[in-house]
């Protein structure tokens, strides 16, 4: 079976044709359990997310904040394995027919084997991988296997990325570009929004035809509407994880993430 990069491309194009941003949700596999994580991912897709990123829990998730680190720790203590990540991808894709990507640091793939990982992800119906710490100049082996198996290679750009670096990244990537920024952590709320908007503008300025999707600390409908005003996709992770962490029981957590997905889906449609 080939991976579903075309489904990812078509989904982003369909959102654009509707005059809106795509809603991309993130939840780690194995959190709070493998079965519970699959339930949560299905719930966000059923609730209104267009695309989902399944996190591969890592013991040192350097680019993730404390909320996702907590969830990763719970998943790792529960014994989550790459096989569980693949099962999560398969069940989410088969249940919803929506694009499912894996977000992972490079080390677990390197240890597992690039050919094995890409073949299994494609067989599970995966659309691709987001690789936040894989430098473009070291990505040839991964990209060769990803392309062979019909998988997207999504690279991450940041406000610190220089224009020539942005051009290098957009030329090598596929699926979409993940523009990483922060909201409410560095500087004021307004300046951070402007920083993200500038990053999207500079990324598009490379001449890329890839959609530019923003992970910005969005946690509510109004913020989703704001980011949707300048990005092709709005990526939300910590807000979903927090809903699960704060829930008194599993059923409440599932209901909470489904409800949040519905609110954010209205936001990306410009309903602040």
């Amino acid at each position: 079976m080939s991976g579903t990069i075309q489904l990812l491309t078509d989904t982003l194009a369909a959102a654009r044709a509707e005059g809106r941003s795509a809603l991309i949700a993130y939840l780690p596999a194995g959190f709070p359990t493998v079965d519970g994580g699959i339930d949560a991912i299905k719930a966000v897709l059923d609730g209104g997310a267009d695309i989902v990123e399944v996190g591969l829990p890592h013991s040192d998730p350097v680019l993730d904040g404390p909320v996702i680190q907590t969830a990763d720790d719970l998943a790792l203590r529960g014994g989550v394995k790459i096989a569980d990540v693949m099962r999560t991808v398969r069940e989410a894709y088969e249940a919803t027919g929506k694009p499912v990507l894996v977000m992972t640091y490079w080390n677990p793939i390197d240890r597992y084997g690039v050919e094995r990982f890409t073949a299994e992800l494609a067989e599970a119906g995966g659309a691709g991988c987001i690789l936040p710490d894989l430098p473009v100049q070291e990505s040839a082996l991964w990209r060769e296997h990803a392309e062979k198996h019909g998988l997207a290679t999504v690279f991450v750009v940041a406000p610190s990325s220089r224009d020539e670096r942005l051009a290098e990244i957009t030329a090598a990537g596929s699926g979409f570009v993940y523009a990483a920024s922060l909201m409410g952590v560095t500087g004021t709320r307004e300046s951070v929004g402007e920083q993200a908007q500038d990053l999207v503008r500079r990324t598009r300025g490379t001449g890329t035809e890839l959609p530019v999707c923003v992970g910005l600390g969005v946690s509510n409908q109004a913020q989703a509407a704001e980011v949707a005003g300048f990005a092709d996709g709005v990526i939300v992770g910590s807000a979903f994880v927090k809903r699960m962490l704060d829930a008194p029981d599993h059923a409440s957590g599932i209901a909470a993430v489904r409800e949040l997905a519905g609110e954010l889906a209205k936001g990306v449609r410009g309903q602040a």
Side-chain angles (χ1 to χ4, degrees), residues 7-83:
L7 176 63
L8 174 66
T9 300
D10 292 347
T11 299
L12 288 160
R16 177 178 284 183
E18 291 173 21
R20 67 173 179 91
S21 283
L23 174 60
I24 304 174
Y26 165 94
L27 279 166
F31 165 71
T33 62
V34 176
D35 288 341
I38 291 168
D39 289 344
I41 287 165
K42 288 179 185 175
V44 299
L45 288 167
D46 290 340
D50 299 291
I51 298 163
V52 75
E53 303 170 6
V54 175
L56 196 161
H58 194 273
S59 56
D60 185 25
V62 290
L63 297 175
D64 296 314
V67 171
I68 291 173
Q69 285 184 23
T70 299
D72 275 9
D73 185 51
L74 288 167
L76 290 166
R77 280 192 280 150
V80 70
K81 302 207 167 25
I82 287 179

Side-chain angles (χ1 to χ4, degrees), residues 198-212:
D198 181 62
L199 177 57
V200 171
R201 180 189 58 76
R202 290 196 299 120
T203 304
R204 287 179 177 150
T206 64
T208 184
E209 294 184 2
L210 293 175
V212 184

Side-chain angles (χ1 to χ4, degrees), residues 178-185 189 192 214-220 223-224 227 234-239:
Y178 188 124
S181 192
L182 297 169
M183 181 184 288
V185 177
R189 173 70 182 78
V192 175
V214 173
L216 227 172
V218 167
S219 62
N220 61 45
Q223 290 169 342
V227 177
V234 179
I235 301 166
V236 182
S238 295

Side-chain angles (χ1 to χ4, degrees), residues 156-171 177-181 192-214 230-232:
V156 178
V157 298
S160 57
S161 304
R162 296 185 138 140
D163 289 352
E164 56 269 28
R165 177 91 176 129
L166 291 177
E168 188 182 4
I169 291 169
T170 57
V177 181
Y178 188 124
S181 192
V192 175
E194 286 167 13
Q195 190 178 43
Q197 196 164 357
D198 181 62
L199 177 57
V200 171
R201 180 189 58 76
R202 290 196 299 120
T203 304
R204 287 179 177 150
T206 64
T208 184
E209 294 184 2
L210 293 175
V212 184
C213 304
V214 173
F230 59 83
D232 298 302

Side-chain angles (χ1 to χ4, degrees), residues 129-143:
C129 253
I130 300 156
L131 300 160
D133 67 339
L134 178 63
V136 170
Q137 59 270 27
E138 296 173 24
S139 67
L141 178 67
W142 164 266
R143 285 188 285 134

Side-chain angles (χ1 to χ4, degrees), residues 55 257 261:
V257 295

